[in-house]
Amino acid sequence: MQNEQLLQKINSSADLKMLTLEEIKLLAGEIRQLIIDVVSKNGGHLAPNLGVVELTLALHKVFTTPKDKIIWDVGHQSYIHKILTGRKELFPTLRQYHGMSGFPKRKESEHDAFGTGHSSTSISAALGMAVARDLKGEDNNVIAVIGDGSMTGGMAFEALNNAGDLHKKMIVILNDNEMSISKNVGAMSQYLCDLRTGETYNKIKRDVEGWLKGLDFGSDVLSAIERLKGSVKYLMVPSSVFEELGFKYLGPIDGHDLNKLLEVLEAAKHVNGPVLVHVITKKGKGYEPAETSPNKFHGTGPFEIATGKKISDPDAPIAYTEMFGKTLTELAAENEKIVAITAAMPDGTGLNKFAEQYPQRFFDVGIAEQHAVTAAAGMAAEGLKPVVAVYSTFLQRAYDSVLHDICMQNLPVTLCLDRAGIVGDDGYTHHGVFDYAYLRSMPQMTIMAPKDENELRHMLNTALSFDGPITIRYPRGSGVGVDCSEALQQLSIGKGEVLREGEGVCLLAIGSMVAVALQAADVLAEQGIKAGVINLRFAKPLDEELLVQAAKKYSKLVTLEEGVVAGGVGSAVLELLNNKGLLQTTQVLNLGIPDEFVPHGDKKYLFRDIGLDLDSITAKITALVKGAGEIK
């Protein structure tokens, strides 16, 4: 079989099983090139996938899906799995509208045993499947593939603890590449490093084994010396926490050595109980720019293959993320009580410059959002001004910590929610559309959303002077291109601003939807409809005085938010106006994310589909003003 023909002939994992070891090694190169080609055009998670090519090939050589269940933690590294399970022809549509998801999806393929997108869930899901298998009297294998970054999440250890106790037959593949999104931190990272680099232990082990080969002792003595080998291991290397938890530990092994991978996975397959296979891989393997800068190619936009240079608009306004990091660093120079906390994402949240300038005041806690929030509460309780920078979708994992540890104690913690709203290509596991709804239900919480990058500066300045729990949420990507040179201001808590006066109808917008509201007002003006526009600024507390005035002035109000309608800002407006007895004279239309999970794809198509694009919004407002019945 010729090298250039290998990938063409792989339409299922059954085809892979027909290849020789040397052919699989050649196939690995072809798959890497396909991934580089597609991700360079579509964007996606490049470095994580390049690092698991051999591991994925070995898994599909040894195991048979969909009978055997492979659960990918987070799932951003599942591209090779998808290529090998009948989706090779679909792969060029990766992360595109109506195309292949960048994460495992049960609806997409029977080979995707469990849908993922957030970290540290795989071992729990695998254990649940192993329990179900045994109760049903079946005999399939269950394999969880989890990165060392995900092992910093507490849920992974909860699952390991339970799995060791239940002693179900299951395999955990620990894909150790010393990275999550940024470089891993913490004691677990150091522990795994010790396992990887226990050279003293390995040398002594080799010496003891050589000595044993030259002796002719009885079985009892050999057994005793075998125990000696074990004691040497425990003296020279930290005892295996995995073995203490009830897992048979195999490794560490080279995750790019197909021979060794196949040998060890075959052995793991026959262990009657939980087994952990520790695999060492290199993130970005096979593409020099990704090997050199794996954090930059963890999740990437389009790039030039020859140079690795990102393809971007040099004239684009500063991104909200960058503006946040820049402003926080400036404020920290004036207030030494300001500290910054992130959950394994200093680059993604814009805190890298803060970390460089104030390393003693920067804390990366690993993929542990719950811990990040409660640690921030502890810092605030002792007089510091902690800022927790986290993606909106990931703060969901720390819901109880925000409620119980921050709000109940009314502690001055600032939560900065990046990627709030529709994020596009990553899809429904990453859309940050629920934060308005769940945060506004928490007593003591204040919630802001800037209309542009300059207002973000003022909101961060305001938050760090506020004595209580406060949240700022802002979208992914570039700002709107406004002047950001003015001095920082203190905003009045719970006060909005009138941007445009109108007649008959007023648009009550917040955050990213303010710019859309202004555009809609321009379009409506061309149709003879003079719409007012208010920037709410605050989802909680609402500007009660301004909203009452608007309800009395306008017969129709339209709320616009890039968040779920159910329980969101529009719901808060309805509650307020109802309490004031104003709904009998004022009609309110709530526009936002409908009660459904929004798929992945280009944001312009997603906004169109959910009715939040400019054309849909103006059509709905026109129908409202003209009294065209129920508006959907």
Side-chain angles (χ1 to χ4, degrees):
M1 193 177 286
Q2 296 297 313
N3 181 22
E4 63 270 12
Q5 297 176 338
L6 284 171
L7 188 54
Q8 295 177 21
K9 296 186 177 181
I10 301 297
N11 297 305
S12 70
S13 56
D15 296 327
L16 174 68
K17 296 181 188 299
M18 303 297 293
L19 301 183
T20 66
L21 184 60
E22 290 306 312
E23 287 173 330
I24 295 176
K25 291 178 181 178
L26 293 173
L27 177 62
E30 290 191 50
I31 288 176
R32 278 197 170 89
Q33 192 57 55
L34 174 62
I35 291 172
I36 292 168
D37 289 343
V38 171
V39 175
S40 71
K41 299 180 182 72
N42 298 6
H45 291 90
L46 182 67
N49 282 282
L50 295 180
V52 298
V53 174
E54 288 83 6
L55 174 59
T56 310
L57 287 167
L59 283 168
H60 280 285
K61 179 75 170 177
V62 173
F63 301 99
T64 302
T65 60
K67 179 183 177 182
D68 293 327
K69 313 298 180 184
I70 301 176
I71 301 99
W72 299 91
D73 204 275
V74 183
H76 60 303
Q77 77 287 53
S78 64
Y79 295 179
I80 306 95
H81 162 78
K82 294 192 175 203
I83 291 169
L84 296 174
T85 53
R87 286 166 279 181
K88 180 185 63 182
E89 301 303 323
L90 192 62
F91 191 65
T93 70
L94 175 72
R95 292 159 46 90
Q96 302 297 290
Y97 181 68
H98 286 170
M100 192 178 83
S101 171
F103 297 89
K105 288 182 68 175
R106 284 164 54 85
K107 288 184 178 180
E108 186 177 280
S109 171
E110 62 178 349
H111 296 276
D112 291 357
F114 196 78
T116 50
H118 288 187
S119 166
S120 312
T121 64
S122 62
I123 305 175
S124 297
L127 178 58
M129 290 182 173
V131 168
R133 173 201 62 206
D134 293 350
L135 288 174
K136 293 190 294 182
E138 298 173 347
D139 63 351
N140 59 287
N141 295 285
V142 181
I143 307 100
V145 184
I146 183 170
D148 53 324
S150 292
M151 287 295 288
T152 62
M155 186 176 177
F157 283 91
E158 294 173 16
L160 286 171
N161 179 58
N162 190 207
D165 180 54
L166 293 179
H167 203 71
K168 296 293 182 183
K169 177 179 169 62
M170 62 182 289
I171 299 170
V172 175
I173 309 291
L174 173 56
N175 174 36
D176 183 357
N177 56 30
E178 303 181 69
M179 300 284 291
S180 46
I181 294 175
S182 300
K183 187 171 180 60
N184 284 332
V185 296
M188 174 50 64
S189 177
Q190 183 58 50
Y191 169 74
L192 293 175
C193 180
D194 291 342
L195 288 180
R196 287 192 298 269
T197 59
E199 290 302 321
T200 303
Y201 155 66
N202 288 325
K203 183 179 184 303
I204 291 176
K205 180 183 176 185
R206 288 193 296 269
D207 290 345
V208 171
E209 288 174 341
W211 176 56
L212 287 175
K213 289 178 181 178
L215 299 177
D216 186 21
F217 291 157
S219 59
D220 289 343
V221 177
L222 285 173
S223 178
I225 294 179
E226 194 66 24
R227 289 196 298 273
L228 169 65
K229 287 169 58 182
S231 68
V232 169
K233 175 179 179 179
Y234 281 94
L235 283 170
M236 304 309 298
V237 180
S239 62
S240 172
V241 65
F242 307 111
E243 291 180 347
E244 299 295 342
L245 286 170
F247 279 71
K248 182 174 181 61
Y249 173 82
L250 301 177
I253 62 172
D254 182 352
H256 302 294
D257 183 337
L258 269 166
N259 305 56
K260 197 64 171 178
L261 282 168
L262 292 170
E263 175 188 329
V264 173
L265 290 177
E266 193 64 46
K269 186 178 182 179
H270 294 93
V271 174
N272 188 26
V275 56
L276 185 137
V277 180
H278 186 180
V279 176
I280 312 300
T281 62
K282 185 170 184 61
K283 202 168 183 179
K285 176 76 171 177
Y287 181 56
E288 194 276 334
E291 288 191 24
T292 304
S293 302
N295 58 324
K296 293 181 180 178
F297 285 91
H298 173 85
T300 179
F303 61 92
E304 298 174 355
I305 295 177
T307 63
K309 183 179 179 181
K310 302 292 178 68
I311 299 172
S312 58
D313 180 3
D315 298 323
I318 186 171
Y320 282 96
T321 300
E322 184 180 351
M323 180 58 78
F324 158 73
K326 180 174 180 288
T327 305
L328 184 64
T329 303
E330 292 172 359
L331 290 167
E334 303 170 4
N335 186 348
E336 63 183 14
K337 292 184 177 182
I338 294 175
V339 293
I341 304 164
T342 185
M345 302 191 73
D347 294 331
T349 58
L351 286 177
N352 45 348
K353 291 182 180 178
F354 183 101
E356 292 171 7
Q357 194 156 337
Y358 303 105
Q360 301 303 313
R361 293 155 62 185
F362 170 75
F363 304 92
D364 184 347
V365 303
I367 303 180
E369 293 85 0
Q370 185 176 6
H371 163 61
V373 168
T374 300
M379 294 177 193
E382 290 301 304
L384 297 182
K385 295 293 290 186
V387 175
V388 180
V390 61
Y391 287 6
S392 170
T393 185
F394 298 145
L395 186 68
Q396 294 162 186
R397 299 156 60 88
Y399 175 95
D400 186 60
S401 298
V402 176
L403 177 66
H404 185 274
D405 300 329
I406 294 179
C407 291
M408 284 188 182
Q409 302 183 85
N410 198 27
L411 291 169
V413 175
T414 299
L415 302 174
C416 292
L417 308 192
D418 202 327
R419 270 65 166 178
I422 298 293
V423 297
D425 303 333
D426 282 334
Y428 57 62
T429 59
H430 283 61
H431 295 318
V433 298
F434 302 102
D435 51 78
Y436 281 139
Y438 72 78
L439 287 173
R440 84 171 188 88
S441 67
M442 298 183 183
Q444 308 287 4
M445 179 59 75
T446 294
I447 308 168
M448 298 184 282
K451 70 177 185 292
D452 54 45
E453 61 272 34
N454 188 45
E455 194 165 65
L456 172 60
R457 298 171 61 238
H458 302 318
M459 286 186 173
L460 186 56
N461 185 48
T462 302
L464 287 167
S465 299
F466 186 69
D467 189 24
I470 192 163
T471 296
I472 310 171
R473 56 105 71 184
Y474 42 94
R476 179 183 187 179
S478 299
V480 299
V482 298
D483 179 25
C484 296
S485 62
E486 65 182 0
L488 289 172
Q489 302 173 14
Q490 287 284 328
L491 302 179
S492 298
I493 298 297
K495 291 298 179 182
E497 61 173 344
V498 177
L499 298 179
R500 188 173 300 185
E501 296 286 356
E503 298 174 0
V505 62
C506 185
L507 313 185
L508 311 176
I510 189 166
S512 59
M513 297 306 294
V514 174
V516 180
L518 289 169
Q519 294 171 11
D522 289 339
V523 174
L524 292 167
E526 295 173 0
Q527 302 173 16
I529 300 172
K530 188 178 180 181
V533 179
I534 289 176
N535 171 22
L536 291 173
R537 279 184 174 158
F538 290 82
K540 184 181 181 183
L542 292 171
D543 190 334
E544 182 176 312
E545 180 181 4
L546 184 59
L547 287 173
V548 168
Q549 289 176 356
K552 291 180 178 179
K553 177 179 179 179
Y554 300 95
S555 61
K556 301 180 190 308
L557 301 176
V558 180
T559 66
L560 295 100
E561 60 190 298
E562 197 175 338
V564 291
V565 171
V569 182
S571 292
V573 171
L574 284 171
E575 292 162 12
L576 187 153
L577 297 180
N578 183 59
N579 290 338
K580 297 295 181 180
L582 293 170
L583 290 182
Q584 293 180 344
T585 56
T586 305
Q587 186 176 0
V588 180
L589 172 63
N590 295 145
L591 299 181
I593 311 297
D595 189 24
E596 61 190 51
F597 291 112
V598 180
H600 66 276
D602 191 308
K603 289 176 68 173
K604 64 176 177 287
Y605 300 131
L606 300 181
F607 275 90
R608 179 198 63 193
D609 291 351
I610 61 177
L612 273 186
D613 64 315
L614 183 60
D615 289 344
S616 299
I617 288 170
T618 52
K620 290 174 182 178
I621 294 172
T622 300
L624 175 71
V625 171
K626 295 183 177 180
E630 184 179 1
I631 300 164
K632 297 181 180 179

